Amino acid sequence: MMTLKKYNRESIVNKRITVIGLGISGKAVSILANQLGAIVFASDSNSSEEIISNAMELMHDHHIATETGIHSKKIYDSDLWIISPGVPAKSLIVEKALNHNIPIVSEIEFASWFTKFPIIGITGSNGKTTTTYILKQMFNDKQTVGVIGGNIGIPFSECVLKEILQPPKKLVYLLEISSFQLEFISSFRPHISIYTNISEDHLDRHYSMQEYVKMKLRLVENCKKSNTIVYNEDDDTLKSIFNNSPLKKSTYGTKSSNHTFYLKDDAIYHSSSNTLFLKIKDIKLKGQHNLYNLLAAATCADSYGIKIDHIKSIFKSFKGIPHRIEYITTIKGVDYINDSKATNINSVIVAIKTYKKPIILLLGGVNKGVDFGLLIPHIENNNVRIILAYGEAGEQIKSALGDAVRLFIVNDLNSAVKNAHSIAQPGDVVLLSPGCASFDQFKNFEDRGDFFKSKVKALS
């Protein structure tokens, strides 16, 4: 978006920095900038309980000036803006700041200026979080210490602050990075960039698939020939984008043998000696989508120099992450599954395909601009028996899917759980895979998933 001079530890002192947005990343970067000696002012037009709590913490514990419920003129009295991922590039205050010639960076860009350690950036439409957690296991051995952060709920600024206060000897940052976080990067450059896949997502923010893909590609726009891109060659979009890239490439997939790890006869082989790496049946984490996540992580770890035996041990032991096709319990022969992490249609499709049993699907929340009609062939080809649509997107879901499946609109997720429990029969799967953002009723997908789990456990 713009090129600007990076601040260092000396030049940041006494610079006036405005932080826009007081969610978890805004709070963390305010504390980091303050620790580095900048004069910080944090502003959020929202006045929710969380935002006010964060503002109070910044004022009382760190003596940082804040405002909530408003963006006053004071935000423009600044040498630099650090903007939270939730604030779109096209918002009015951003346009005004640019007219004032105020440089704007994202929280991950700012934090990256003050770390001494390599970064691995993980992006894509689906599988980012699982791949990041697998990498954490693979990068925790005698050679390295993997630290996760970014879009995963641990702001990069928080990680870098810890690095400054308690300098470690060896460390690799494993950052899950969303398209929102890439809108205001300038020099951010991962050592290795992983692209899991590209599918329709966040069109409410980026307006077109072309714009969404363009934003995802910003992850590698500052990369040099010494940097590596790890990408899924089975994804047609990624294959067409990176086929002729001058950057160092390391691919993975299941359809070809031209990869570091390739599939043959229900087993995985390593290309360096064409020796058997692992039999598919020995992988702890089941599902085709998870095989892709494991291959992405393994290809990255191998490229970095992690020992092959350690990579293999993670294939055999990694169980998965909370809120992603997470088994909760079985009540009277009915399985309850928490897939709250599924915030787009492609994730819902993956979840539906995971089960052979009849499914009662809980779908709803805030529509991110996607077409629910894309679910129709998968509903018809799989065992989706009933859909319970809830939240803001309820009516849109009904108009898109109402003719394809038995569908009922309920008020909220609590009602959806109660209704699912009353109509489920032994052998069914009650699957929360919302296909939507959570912000109509919850802070985030974790909050939604925890709520779902609590309501399910209350049934038994």
Side-chain angles (χ1 to χ4, degrees):
M1 185 145 316
M2 67 178 75
T3 302
L4 75 165
K5 185 184 175 185
K6 291 199 295 186
Y7 286 106
N8 57 31
R9 293 285 293 271
E10 290 74 36
S11 61
I12 197 76
V13 175
N14 290 329
K15 287 290 182 266
R16 295 164 303 159
I17 292 180
T18 297
V19 175
I20 300 291
L22 270 169
I24 57 169
S25 67
K27 182 177 85 168
V29 80
S30 296
I31 296 168
L32 174 60
N34 183 63
Q35 173 69 30
L36 291 164
I39 301 163
V40 181
F41 178 63
S43 175
D44 197 312
S45 59
N46 198 333
S47 54
S48 68
E49 191 177 328
E50 181 196 7
I51 298 301
I52 291 172
S53 171
N54 288 348
M56 296 297 282
E57 182 183 335
L58 291 179
M59 286 191 290
H60 289 298
D61 296 352
H62 303 279
H63 309 294
I64 295 170
T66 66
E67 64 180 10
T68 58
I70 189 175
H71 288 310
S72 68
K73 288 180 181 177
K74 190 178 176 186
I75 61 175
Y76 302 107
D77 180 22
S78 181
D79 298 309
L80 176 73
W81 272 24
I82 306 170
I83 197 160
S84 296
V87 182
K90 293 181 172 67
S91 61
L92 188 60
I93 60 163
V94 170
E95 285 179 26
K96 280 189 180 179
L98 294 174
N99 288 338
H100 280 79
N101 294 317
I102 300 170
I104 304 175
V105 296
S106 65
E107 178 262 336
I108 58 159
E109 171 70 32
F110 181 81
S112 73
W113 296 348
F114 303 100
T115 180
K116 297 175 181 176
F117 292 98
I119 295 166
I120 293 173
I122 303 101
T123 198
S125 302
N126 303 105
K128 296 186 295 294
T129 304
T130 301
T131 301
T132 305
Y133 273 94
I134 295 168
L135 279 167
K136 179 171 169 53
Q137 300 286 317
M138 289 181 179
F139 275 75
N140 279 351
D141 67 353
K142 291 174 184 175
Q143 298 163 262
T144 58
V145 176
V147 173
I148 60 172
N151 193 50
I152 217 154
I154 305 158
F156 188 27
S157 296
E158 188 178 309
C159 302
V160 173
L161 178 64
K162 189 174 179 183
E163 173 193 328
I164 290 167
L165 297 176
Q166 302 169 331
K169 289 180 181 175
K170 55 180 184 178
L171 193 150
V172 180
Y173 286 118
L174 311 167
L175 303 183
E176 178 187 315
I177 297 173
S178 72
S179 55
F180 295 177
Q181 290 172 308
L182 294 169
E183 281 187 336
F184 285 100
I185 63 163
S186 172
S187 59
F188 183 75
R189 179 167 63 93
H191 180 72
I192 300 174
S193 301
I194 300 176
Y195 283 83
T196 57
N197 47 57
I198 297 287
S199 65
E200 197 172 279
D201 198 7
H202 295 304
L203 299 192
D204 55 335
R205 169 86 165 243
H206 299 305
Y207 302 110
S208 72
M209 193 65 185
Q210 187 180 9
E211 184 66 23
Y212 172 60
V213 172
K214 181 180 166 188
M215 205 52 63
K216 285 289 189 188
L217 292 178
R218 301 204 72 215
L219 182 65
V220 293
E221 74 177 18
N222 299 309
C223 286
K224 298 176 180 176
K225 288 184 180 177
S226 58
N227 301 130
T228 301
I229 308 173
V230 173
Y231 70 93
N232 177 0
E233 202 176 44
D234 292 353
D235 185 289
D236 292 337
T237 304
L238 292 176
K239 187 175 180 179
S240 65
I241 289 167
F242 292 128
N243 217 9
N244 298 314
S245 171
L247 295 170
K248 198 157 50 169
K249 292 170 287 192
S250 197
T251 61
Y252 67 94
T254 63
K255 298 174 182 176
S256 160
S257 59
N258 297 324
H259 307 299
T260 307
F261 297 90
Y262 64 93
L263 271 61
K264 190 176 86 173
D265 302 329
D266 296 324
I268 302 171
Y269 288 79
H270 193 273
S271 62
S272 63
S273 56
N274 294 318
T275 52
L276 176 69
F277 170 70
L278 190 74
K279 291 186 177 175
I280 299 289
K281 66 179 177 63
D282 294 329
I283 297 173
K284 185 87 171 177
L285 193 62
K286 303 303 179 187
Q288 179 78 358
H289 61 294
N290 283 320
L291 178 58
Y292 277 108
N293 297 333
L294 284 159
L295 290 171
T299 305
C300 172
D302 186 78
S303 168
Y304 196 85
I306 302 297
K307 288 190 168 72
I308 198 82
D309 286 344
H310 182 63
I311 295 172
K312 186 191 292 187
S313 71
I314 305 308
F315 271 72
K316 290 181 173 180
S317 62
F318 188 80
K319 295 178 181 176
I321 61 168
H323 310 296
R324 189 69 184 113
I325 313 185
E326 177 192 13
Y327 170 79
I328 304 169
T329 190
T330 301
I331 302 171
K332 295 181 180 176
V334 177
D335 293 339
Y336 288 81
I337 308 296
N338 168 30
D339 192 36
S340 180
K341 182 81 173 66
T343 59
N344 60 42
I345 296 301
N346 208 52
S347 292
V348 179
I349 292 166
V350 166
I352 289 170
K353 286 181 174 179
T354 303
Y355 299 98
K356 299 286 184 273
K357 296 177 179 180
I359 295 168
I360 298 172
L361 177 62
L362 279 51
L363 201 63
V366 179
N367 184 8
K368 298 196 292 181
V370 298
D371 177 10
F372 293 105
L374 296 169
L375 285 174
I376 290 173
H378 303 281
I379 287 168
E380 292 171 346
N381 293 335
N382 292 280
N383 301 310
V384 179
R385 188 163 74 83
I386 296 168
I387 290 178
L388 295 171
Y390 71 91
E392 278 187 22
E395 289 294 341
Q396 292 167 294
I397 294 166
K398 184 179 181 183
S399 63
L401 302 177
D403 294 333
V405 65
R406 284 180 67 200
L407 188 149
F408 304 99
I409 292 183
V410 294
N411 284 335
D412 52 27
L413 183 52
N414 186 30
S415 304
V417 173
K418 287 179 178 176
N419 278 272
H421 179 60
S422 66
I423 59 181
Q425 299 170 0
D428 284 352
V429 172
V430 172
L431 171 64
L432 171 67
S433 191
C436 294
S438 57
F439 307 126
D440 57 340
Q441 296 172 36
F442 304 99
K443 284 193 296 186
N444 47 44
F445 74 83
E446 294 98 335
D447 186 33
R448 174 170 61 191
D450 289 339
F451 177 86
F452 177 67
K453 287 195 275 191
S454 70
K455 293 302 173 186
V456 167
K457 285 171 183 172
L459 297 171
S460 53

